PDB file of all heavy atoms in Angstrom:
ATOM      1  N   MET A  29     144.043   5.074 148.755  1.00 41.00           N
ATOM      2  CA  MET A  29     143.029   5.787 147.977  1.00 41.00           C
ATOM      3  C   MET A  29     142.838   7.214 148.464  1.00 41.00           C
ATOM      4  O   MET A  29     142.580   8.113 147.696  1.00 41.00           O
ATOM      5  CB  MET A  29     141.702   5.055 148.050  1.00 41.00           C
ATOM      6  CG  MET A  29     141.628   3.978 146.988  1.00 41.00           C
ATOM      7  SD  MET A  29     140.428   2.721 147.387  1.00 41.00           S
ATOM      8  CE  MET A  29     141.422   1.404 148.012  1.00 41.00           C
ATOM      9  N   LEU A  33     143.473  10.712 146.421  1.00 37.00           N
ATOM     10  CA  LEU A  33     142.436  11.734 146.350  1.00 37.00           C
ATOM     11  C   LEU A  33     142.963  13.130 146.625  1.00 37.00           C
ATOM     12  O   LEU A  33     142.492  14.103 146.055  1.00 37.00           O
ATOM     13  CB  LEU A  33     141.300  11.405 147.307  1.00 37.00           C
ATOM     14  CG  LEU A  33     140.160  10.779 146.519  1.00 37.00           C
ATOM     15  CD1 LEU A  33     139.233  10.025 147.449  1.00 37.00           C
ATOM     16  CD2 LEU A  33     139.397  11.830 145.742  1.00 37.00           C
ATOM     17  N   SER A 330     136.551   3.029 152.815  1.00 91.00           N
ATOM     18  CA  SER A 330     137.058   4.281 153.378  1.00 91.00           C
ATOM     19  C   SER A 330     135.873   5.168 153.719  1.00 91.00           C
ATOM     20  O   SER A 330     134.940   5.285 152.920  1.00 91.00           O
ATOM     21  CB  SER A 330     137.984   4.978 152.378  1.00 91.00           C
ATOM     22  OG  SER A 330     138.586   6.089 152.993  1.00 91.00           O
ATOM     23  N   HIS A 340     138.902  13.459 153.492  1.00 91.00           N
ATOM     24  CA  HIS A 340     138.297  12.551 152.511  1.00 91.00           C
ATOM     25  C   HIS A 340     136.846  12.980 152.396  1.00 91.00           C
ATOM     26  O   HIS A 340     136.058  12.787 153.319  1.00 91.00           O
ATOM     27  CB  HIS A 340     138.414  11.084 152.990  1.00 91.00           C
ATOM     28  CG  HIS A 340     137.997  10.099 151.938  1.00 91.00           C
ATOM     29  ND1 HIS A 340     137.221   9.002 152.222  1.00 91.00           N
ATOM     30  CD2 HIS A 340     138.267  10.055 150.616  1.00 91.00           C
ATOM     31  CE1 HIS A 340     137.013   8.327 151.090  1.00 91.00           C
ATOM     32  NE2 HIS A 340     137.665   8.950 150.110  1.00 91.00           N
ATOM     33  N   GLY A 342     134.359  12.010 150.720  1.00 95.00           N
ATOM     34  CA  GLY A 342     133.285  11.076 150.406  1.00 95.00           C
ATOM     35  C   GLY A 342     133.572   9.729 151.036  1.00 95.00           C
ATOM     36  O   GLY A 342     134.325   9.639 152.007  1.00 95.00           O
ATOM     37  N   ILE A 343     132.937   8.718 150.471  1.00 96.00           N
ATOM     38  CA  ILE A 343     133.203   7.363 150.939  1.00 96.00           C
ATOM     39  C   ILE A 343     133.635   6.524 149.753  1.00 96.00           C
ATOM     40  O   ILE A 343     133.343   6.870 148.601  1.00 96.00           O
ATOM     41  CB  ILE A 343     131.960   6.721 151.600  1.00 96.00           C
ATOM     42  CG1 ILE A 343     130.770   6.741 150.618  1.00 96.00           C
ATOM     43  CG2 ILE A 343     131.597   7.464 152.884  1.00 96.00           C
ATOM     44  CD1 ILE A 343     129.630   5.807 151.029  1.00 96.00           C
ATOM     45  N   ASP A 344     134.367   5.433 150.056  1.00 96.00           N
ATOM     46  CA  ASP A 344     134.766   4.508 149.002  1.00 96.00           C
ATOM     47  C   ASP A 344     134.016   3.198 149.219  1.00 96.00           C
ATOM     48  O   ASP A 344     133.899   2.717 150.345  1.00 96.00           O
ATOM     49  CB  ASP A 344     136.276   4.233 149.064  1.00 96.00           C
ATOM     50  CG  ASP A 344     137.077   5.483 148.721  1.00 96.00           C
ATOM     51  OD1 ASP A 344     136.477   6.425 148.139  1.00 96.00           O
ATOM     52  OD2 ASP A 344     138.280   5.509 149.039  1.00 96.00           O
ATOM     53  N   HIS A 422     136.870   0.603 142.593  1.00 96.00           N
ATOM     54  CA  HIS A 422     136.006   1.063 143.693  1.00 96.00           C
ATOM     55  C   HIS A 422     135.196   2.253 143.220  1.00 96.00           C
ATOM     56  O   HIS A 422     135.493   2.870 142.177  1.00 96.00           O
ATOM     57  CB  HIS A 422     136.831   1.432 144.929  1.00 96.00           C
ATOM     58  CG  HIS A 422     137.499   2.782 144.850  1.00 96.00           C
ATOM     59  ND1 HIS A 422     138.580   3.043 144.027  1.00 96.00           N
ATOM     60  CD2 HIS A 422     137.233   3.948 145.507  1.00 96.00           C
ATOM     61  CE1 HIS A 422     138.944   4.306 144.179  1.00 96.00           C
ATOM     62  NE2 HIS A 422     138.143   4.885 145.076  1.00 96.00           N
ATOM     63  N   HIS A 424     134.154   6.009 144.334  1.00 96.00           N
ATOM     64  CA  HIS A 424     134.328   7.118 145.271  1.00 96.00           C
ATOM     65  C   HIS A 424     133.046   7.934 145.154  1.00 96.00           C
ATOM     66  O   HIS A 424     132.680   8.392 144.063  1.00 96.00           O
ATOM     67  CB  HIS A 424     135.551   7.946 144.894  1.00 96.00           C
ATOM     68  CG  HIS A 424     135.678   9.200 145.699  1.00 96.00           C
ATOM     69  ND1 HIS A 424     136.174   9.214 146.988  1.00 96.00           N
ATOM     70  CD2 HIS A 424     135.347  10.484 145.407  1.00 96.00           C
ATOM     71  CE1 HIS A 424     136.130  10.461 147.449  1.00 96.00           C
ATOM     72  NE2 HIS A 424     135.638  11.242 146.504  1.00 96.00           N
TER      73      HIS A 424
HETATM   74 ZN1   ZN B 516     137.504   7.966 147.965  1.00 65.92          ZN
END
Side-chain angles (χ1 to χ4, degrees):
M29 274 159 259
L33 260 161
S330 187
H340 189 223
I343 56 164
D344 293 343
H422 79 288
H424 172 79

